[in-house]
């Protein structure tokens, strides 16, 4: 059968236009970040600004390192913190989610409601108490002050409870119990392998959140060598002329790991968010 | 090999009604015991209590004479086959079957031998490397049974294991389960809501209703001598007819009954029921004989169902607002809907029930 040419109606063109505009607005900052990373400050501040790549990238990186002598260390620290927070979150959130999904215990629902309520609180509320606690126990200016409080989150618990509740039939757990699995063994050998899609999604979300975390390091970290990348880049804006080219280069370097991670994990992410069932 | 004793077993869920109301039952070594009853009567709950998956809130469970109320499920020497099969989706068939032995720390060679032997019994050797999702329903069912066999349990527990299979496969698996029981000789407890499965599989049947056992016994005994109206109605298909009747006269060796406002007939049995009392006559469809109009209980044909080898006749009793079912042998009959007929219950196959449902025993 010959292909039927469908006429696209004007209202549809309008819809396409709106979506395209939205796309440009969302992507423009990314584009300019990468473009500016390759231009000198004078070029960036000229009118009109450059729209295509220049040749000053290495100069910008040199300037960045000059202004931020610990930049590579900052990058490494960011990675270490984000990675630790992610691994701990995957473990503790799935453990808690499993308990909420599969066990019956007193005050289960009220406890769950309390945990969910913490999601409603804005992050700023935690800033002052966190500082007070961390200075009291002497953890200020240390990575563990960011890792330990971030090791388990309400959203992760919620997500894992939902996923485990729908993906793991109760009888599977019972069969394992009869087979002689310990309670932790059931979690480790039966439940975890079956919730990997959800773990992938949660891992990605957590890693991105921890990587981009600004408020946490801002109140905890005092010395330049303990800054995470967002904090270090912000420090460039402090004095004198703002080196936009260097900031863009630094941001581009910081964003790259996330983009790579996202490309690798995006299929998993979408699977995990949409499908609850592991049919077996 | 194991015996099982249930002493006043009770189950009350938190914030719920009592689901199991004092069960007493002895299961002999090597017996195939079937729990049968309508959906929601507590069969699964009791089975899960035996397995250790539900707490026992009252009474004692003895496995091999030892109190097992507080023993871990894995240490009770039981294996369970679930209705949904509950195979581990991320493990191969072989891994599924060997999981329990592996957890128990058995060497790999020993596990492989045990899995291989069970797979042979169930003819699933060629499937050992597959994942459960690559199996058909019947094959999954076999794997689930295989997983139970590998553990060499003292007691097998089955919770409606065939109800997810299509009719033909169900019949086949039923036969294989019977053979398996013969071969292994292990004590088995089998839960079903299907009375055909109960009748064909059970050494003995326990009929459940609302959390109590209505009657326990061998299938044919229950069929022929139901202790109450519930058991009579539950076993047998088509269902036993229950006809309201009144005792008109009691003699030394027989009683006269009146059905509806018109017909009466005589039951040549001595029965402890006074004249004037209202009873329920229970008679199975195959024990109602069709006779000429004017003979026996007067009725009118309502509907005919031809099954080929037999015919099911639905008839309305004159003067009573009641339809009875009659099963006649032979595929062809001259009967027509609306035709007047007479019904004669076979004397030896009649049951009388009191208003509270209990059967009235015939006095010798
Ligand atoms: N976890 C539970 N909490 C409260 N009531 C339950 C629970 N599980 C089962 N029941 C109730 O127990 C009764 C018996 O259930 P079940 O043993 O599954 O019946 P059956 O297997 O005979 O169909 C049902 O009325 C059911 O609603
Ligand atoms: Mg059930």
């Amino acid at each position: 059968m010959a292909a039927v040419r469908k006429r696209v109606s004007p209202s549809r063109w309008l819809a396409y236009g709106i979506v395209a505009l939205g796309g440009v607005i969302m992507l423009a900052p990314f584009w300019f970040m990468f473009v500016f990373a390759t231009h000198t400050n004078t070029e960036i501040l000229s009118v009109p600004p450059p729209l295509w790549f220049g040749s000053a990238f290495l100069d910008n990186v040199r300037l960045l390192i000059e202004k931020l002598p610990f930049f590579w260390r900052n990058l490494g620290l960011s990675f270490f913190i984000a990675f630790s927070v992610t691994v701990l979150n995957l473990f503790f959130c799935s453990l808690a989610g499993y308990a909420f999904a599969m066990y019956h215990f007193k005050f289960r629902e009220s406890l769950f409601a309390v945990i969910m309520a913490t999601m409603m609180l804005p992050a700023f509320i935690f800033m002052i108490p966190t500082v007070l606690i961390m200075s009291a126990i002497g953890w200020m200016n240390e990575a563990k002050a960011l890792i330990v409080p971030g090791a388990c989150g309400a959203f992760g618990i919620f997500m894992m409870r939902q996923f485990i509740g729908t993906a793991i039939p109760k009888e599977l757990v019972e069969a394992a119990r009869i087979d002689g699995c310990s309670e932790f063994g059931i979690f480790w050998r039966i439940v975890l392998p079956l919730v990997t899609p959800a773990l992938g999604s949660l891992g990605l979300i957590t890693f991105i959140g921890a990587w981009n975390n600004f408020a946490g390091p801002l109140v905890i970290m005092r010395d330049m060598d303990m800054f995470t990348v967002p904090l270090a880049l912000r420090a460039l804006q402090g004095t004198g002329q703002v080196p936009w080219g260097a900031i863009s280069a630094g941001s581009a370097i910081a964003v790259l790991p996330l983009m790579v991670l996202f490309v690798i994990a995006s299929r998993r992410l979408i699977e995990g968010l949409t499908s609850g069932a592991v049919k077996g | 090999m194991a015996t099982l004793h249930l002493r006043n077993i009770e189950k009350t869920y938190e914030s719920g009604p009592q689901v199991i109301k004092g069960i007493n039952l002895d299961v002999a070594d090597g017996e195939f015991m079937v729990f049968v009853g309508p959906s929601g009567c507590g069969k699964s709950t009791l089975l899960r209590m035996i397995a250790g998956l539900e707490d026992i809130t009252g009474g004692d469970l003895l496995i091999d004479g030892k109190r097992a109320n507080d023993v871990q499920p894995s240490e009770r020497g039981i294996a369970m086959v679930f209705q949904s099969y509950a195979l581990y989706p991320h493990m191969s068939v072989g891994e599924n079957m060997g999981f329990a032995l592996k957890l128990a720390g058995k060497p790999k060679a020993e596990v492989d031998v045990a899995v291989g032997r069970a797979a042979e019994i169930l003819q699933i050797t060629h499937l050992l490397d597959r994942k459960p999702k690559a199996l058909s329903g019947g094959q999954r069912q076999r794997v689930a049974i295989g997983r139970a066999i590998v553990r060499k349990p003292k007691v097998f527990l089955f919770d409606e294991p065939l109800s997810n299979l299509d009719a033909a496969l169900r019949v086949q698996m039923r036969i294989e389960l019977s053979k398996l029981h013969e071969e292994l000789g292990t004590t088995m407890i089998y839960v079903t809501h299907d009375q055909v499965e109960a009748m064909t599989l059970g050494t003995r049947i326990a009929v459940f209703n609302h959390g109590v056992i209505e009657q326990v016994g061998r299938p044919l005994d229950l069929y022929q001598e139901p202790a109450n109206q519930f058991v009579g109605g539950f076993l047998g298909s088509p269902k036993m007819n229950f006809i309201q009747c009144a005792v008109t006269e009691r003699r030394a060796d027989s009683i006269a009954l009146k059905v509806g406002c018109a017909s009466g007939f005589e039951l040549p049995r001595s029965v402890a029921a006074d004249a004037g009392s209202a009873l329920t006559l229970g008679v199975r469809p195959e024990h109602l004989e069709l006779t000429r109009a004017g003979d026996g209980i007067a009725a009118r044909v309502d509907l005919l169902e031809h099954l080929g080898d037999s015919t099911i006749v639905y008839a309305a009793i004159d003067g009573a607002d009641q339809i009875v079912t009659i099963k006649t042998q032979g595929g062809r009959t001259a009967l027509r809907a609306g035709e007047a007929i007479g019904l004669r219950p076979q004397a030896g196959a009649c049951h009388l029930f009191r208003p509270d449902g209990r059967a009235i025993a015939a006095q010798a």
Side-chain angles (χ1 to χ4, degrees):
Chain A
M1 213 201 285
V4 181
R5 273 271 177 93
K6 259 205 242 155
R7 281 203 52 192
V8 181
S9 68
S11 66
R12 181 157 285 223
W13 276 117
L14 185 69
Y16 284 155
I18 291 171
V19 171
L21 189 68
V24 169
I25 290 174
M26 304 245 274
L27 288 176
F30 275 95
W31 179 250
F32 283 113
M33 179 185 70
F34 285 116
V35 169
F36 287 179
T38 61
H39 286 280
T40 62
N41 240 26
T42 6
E43 285 166 340
I44 293 169
L45 294 174
S46 64
V47 182
L51 295 176
W52 192 249
F53 296 99
S55 55
F57 179 67
L58 290 179
D59 293 333
N60 279 335
V61 172
R62 213 169 296 132
L63 183 65
L64 180 74
I65 306 296
E66 191 181 299
K67 299 234 169 194
L68 297 175
F70 298 111
F71 182 73
W72 299 118
R73 185 186 149 88
N74 297 147
L75 200 65
L77 192 68
S78 267
F79 188 81
F80 171 67
I81 291 173
F83 184 76
S84 312
V85 165
T86 304
V87 170
L88 291 174
N89 254 281
L90 291 184
F91 180 72
F92 287 118
C93 290
S94 51
L95 200 58
Y98 171 60
F100 277 117
M102 289 292 174
Y103 289 99
H104 293 270
F105 49 91
K106 273 220 171 82
F107 307 121
R108 177 174 76 162
E109 295 312 319
S110 0
L111 191 61
F112 191 67
V114 169
I115 291 175
M116 288 304 101
T118 64
M119 272 205 291
M120 307 293 156
L121 302 175
F124 305 102
I125 287 190
F126 298 106
M127 282 168 79
I128 293 171
T130 307
V131 171
L132 290 178
I133 293 170
M134 291 308 157
S135 19
I137 59 176
W139 282 17
M140 286 301 279
N141 207 29
E142 286 187 47
K144 61 187 174 194
L146 292 173
I147 295 172
V148 173
C152 192
F155 174 73
I157 295 176
F158 169 75
M159 185 176 155
M160 293 315 293
R161 178 193 188 168
Q162 291 304 103
F163 193 85
I164 291 171
T166 48
I168 312 274
K170 200 175 94 199
E171 297 187 338
L172 213 54
V173 171
E174 292 173 344
R177 201 166 285 153
I178 289 177
D179 270 347
C181 235
S182 65
E183 292 303 307
F184 184 77
I186 295 173
F187 169 73
W188 192 251
R189 314 175 80 136
I190 307 293
V191 175
L192 269 194
L194 294 177
V195 297
T196 46
L199 291 179
S201 315
L202 182 60
L204 197 60
I205 293 168
T206 312
F207 190 89
I208 292 172
W211 184 262
N212 290 335
N213 186 5
F214 182 73
L218 180 67
V219 297
I220 297 291
M221 299 308 191
R222 240 178 280 126
D223 304 332
M224 280 284 256
D225 64 333
M226 291 305 291
F227 279 8
T228 56
V229 170
L231 209 53
L233 292 177
R234 178 65 183 74
L236 283 181
Q237 291 184 34
T239 49
Q241 205 204 10
V242 179
W244 291 115
I247 290 183
S248 297
S251 306
I253 293 171
V255 150
L256 226 52
L258 293 192
M259 292 190 133
V260 170
L261 199 66
F262 189 80
V263 168
I264 295 171
S266 60
R267 269 192 55 204
R268 268 275 155 92
L269 175 75
I270 289 159
E271 255 171 43
L273 288 180
T274 52
S275 85
V278 184
K279 291 255 167 63
Chain B
M1 303 289 113
T3 60
L4 215 66
H5 301 284
L6 280 61
R7 298 270 173 269
N8 282 316
I9 296 272
E10 289 177 5
K11 174 77 188 182
T12 311
Y13 280 110
E14 270 176 59
S15 76
Q18 195 176 25
V19 178
I20 302 291
K21 302 165 186 166
I23 298 280
N24 284 294
L25 184 69
D26 297 318
V27 182
D29 185 24
E31 192 164 35
F32 199 127
M33 170 64 80
V34 176
F35 293 174
V36 69
S39 164
C41 66
K43 316 174 293 283
S44 295
T45 304
L46 184 61
L47 194 76
R48 293 162 50 79
M49 288 160 83
I50 295 171
L53 298 172
E54 299 278 357
D55 290 334
I56 297 170
T57 54
D60 295 310
L61 167 69
L62 302 154
I63 299 177
D64 264 346
K66 283 195 279 295
R67 189 168 185 277
N69 288 39
D70 305 315
V71 178
Q72 288 297 313
S74 55
E75 278 147 32
R76 292 189 182 193
I78 50 107
M80 185 152 169
V81 176
F82 295 88
Q83 179 177 353
S84 64
Y85 317 136
L87 301 177
Y88 311 122
H90 56 300
M91 298 184 196
S92 71
V93 166
E95 287 165 342
N96 261 284
M97 289 169 65
F99 191 53
L101 294 189
K102 189 175 149 197
L103 287 174
K106 293 274 173 0
K108 188 168 182 314
E110 192 178 322
V111 176
D112 287 347
V113 169
V115 169
R117 196 176 305 134
E120 226 163 84
I121 294 175
L122 294 160
Q123 296 160 8
I124 50 174
T125 309
H126 61 294
L127 302 176
L128 283 178
D129 292 326
R130 286 205 205 163
K131 288 273 167 63
K133 68 167 178 283
L135 301 179
S136 69
Q139 290 169 332
R140 285 179 203 185
Q141 183 58 73
R142 281 166 199 269
V143 176
I145 295 170
R147 186 170 64 179
I149 293 177
V150 168
R151 302 190 52 207
K152 292 219 174 75
K154 293 190 283 187
V155 184
F156 279 95
L157 306 176
F158 296 93
D159 192 355
E160 312 229 7
L162 306 185
S163 54
N164 283 353
L165 302 178
D166 63 55
L169 207 50
R170 202 149 56 212
V171 173
Q172 188 194 336
M173 283 306 288
R174 205 170 73 202
I175 294 165
E176 291 196 24
L177 274 176
S178 264
K179 281 193 198 149
L180 188 71
H181 177 244
E182 237 164 69
E183 204 170 314
L184 300 176
T186 315
T187 313
M188 295 188 176
I189 301 184
Y190 185 101
V191 164
T192 178
H193 66 269
D194 178 2
Q195 51 98 15
V196 178
E197 273 177 32
M199 292 294 293
T200 50
L201 282 171
T203 320
R204 281 196 303 156
I205 300 179
V207 181
F208 281 68
N209 191 23
H210 293 305
V212 298
I213 294 182
E214 297 276 359
Q215 194 177 0
V216 187
R218 285 181 298 176
L220 282 181
D221 291 348
L222 297 202
Y223 190 83
Q224 286 161 356
E225 296 293 334
N228 53 48
Q229 201 172 333
F230 179 82
V231 175
F234 194 82
L235 299 179
S237 173
K239 238 173 93 109
M240 182 184 273
N241 293 299
F242 295 116
I243 304 168
Q244 300 307 320
C245 58
V247 179
T248 48
E249 203 187 337
R250 182 181 173 187
R251 305 190 202 91
D253 57 354
S254 72
I255 58 170
L257 296 168
K258 188 166 81 97
V259 175
C261 55
S263 329
F265 73 103
E266 211 163 276
L267 210 56
R269 272 203 286 169
S270 157
V271 164
D274 295 328
S277 57
L279 296 177
T280 302
L281 171 70
V283 55
R284 296 195 182 277
E286 61 269 34
H287 298 142
L288 268 178
E289 279 167 26
L290 291 173
T291 57
R292 284 171 296 102
D295 189 9
I297 303 168
R300 201 164 288 277
V301 176
D302 196 40
L303 186 76
L304 296 166
E305 279 181 353
H306 299 281
L307 301 183
D309 62 330
S310 60
T311 304
I312 310 288
V313 181
Y314 298 94
I317 292 177
D318 285 356
D321 184 19
Q322 192 163 20
I323 304 279
V324 294
T325 315
I326 307 109
K327 187 176 181 184
T328 62
Q329 291 306 312
R332 292 192 187 281
T333 133
L335 288 173
R336 290 285 168 272
E339 196 175 332
I341 50 171
L343 299 175
R344 179 174 297 285
Q346 288 175 14
C350 283
H351 309 275
L352 285 170
F353 301 103
R354 280 187 236 279
D356 66 3
R358 274 184 301 148
I360 302 174
Q363 284 163 351

